[in-house]
């Protein structure tokens, strides 16, 4: 079972006080990722929407901040091991995935903002 599936399983077991089988690990992990990503994306929208000009470039620091937040809080919650206990390759892939998520979120927000304000021209 992957790190996220294991963490999500422990959270759900803690809230429900019931043991979950390992079989739905993929589903549990997917639901946890989508829920967390949606909340983080909404927070990004609030912050970026309050800035004078949203930019896709804000995605890199946003993704890095989400990664750093995970590294700081999840070990304290007992859901992950401290980052220094993971292989450098695993950490690099995880960091890259968070930066890709942040960049995708920033580009999507930027495009939606441009569409809403009419800044994108419609060409036939």
């Amino acid at each position: 079972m992957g790190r996220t599936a294991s963490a999500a399983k422990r959270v759900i077991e803690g809230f429900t006080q019931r043991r979950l089988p390992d079989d739905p690990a993929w589903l549990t992990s997917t639901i946890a990722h989508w829920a967390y990503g949606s909340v983080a994306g909404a927070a990004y929208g609030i912050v970026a929407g309050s800035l004078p000009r949203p930019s896709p470039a804000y995605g890199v620091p946003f993704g890095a901040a989400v990664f750093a937040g995970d590294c700081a809080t999840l070990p304290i919650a007992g859901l992950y091991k401290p980052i220094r206990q993971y292989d450098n390759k695993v950490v690099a892939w995880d960091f890259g995935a968070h930066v890709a998520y942040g960049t995708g979120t920033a580009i999507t927000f930027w495009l939606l903002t441009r569409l809403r304000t009419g800044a994108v021209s419609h060409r036939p």
Side-chain angles (χ1 to χ4, degrees):
M1 182 180 320
R3 291 182 339 151
T4 302
S6 177
K9 182 177 183 259
R10 289 182 61 192
V11 168
I12 292 169
E13 287 175 344
F15 279 116
T16 63
Q17 294 298 303
R18 292 183 34 192
R19 179 140 174 83
L20 293 177
D22 288 338
D23 296 319
W26 178 85
L27 179 62
T28 303
S29 174
T30 301
I31 291 170
H33 261 107
W34 277 87
Y36 182 75
S38 296
V39 170
Y44 174 84
I46 291 168
V47 172
S50 68
L51 298 174
R53 294 190 71 183
S55 171
Y58 299 153
V60 173
F62 169 63
V66 172
F67 175 79
D70 289 352
C71 291
T73 59
L74 294 177
I76 292 169
L79 299 174
Y80 280 5
K81 297 181 288 185
I83 192 171
R84 65 186 176 280
Q85 292 182 13
Y86 290 99
D87 180 77
N88 289 340
K89 189 173 182 179
V90 170
V91 174
W93 275 101
D94 198 17
F95 178 77
H98 282 84
V99 169
Y101 157 77
T103 302
T105 300
I107 289 170
T108 301
F109 184 82
W110 177 74
L111 286 172
L112 290 173
T113 301
R114 289 179 55 85
L115 287 171
R116 188 185 77 232
T117 61
V120 176
S121 64
H122 299 282
R123 297 181 187 185

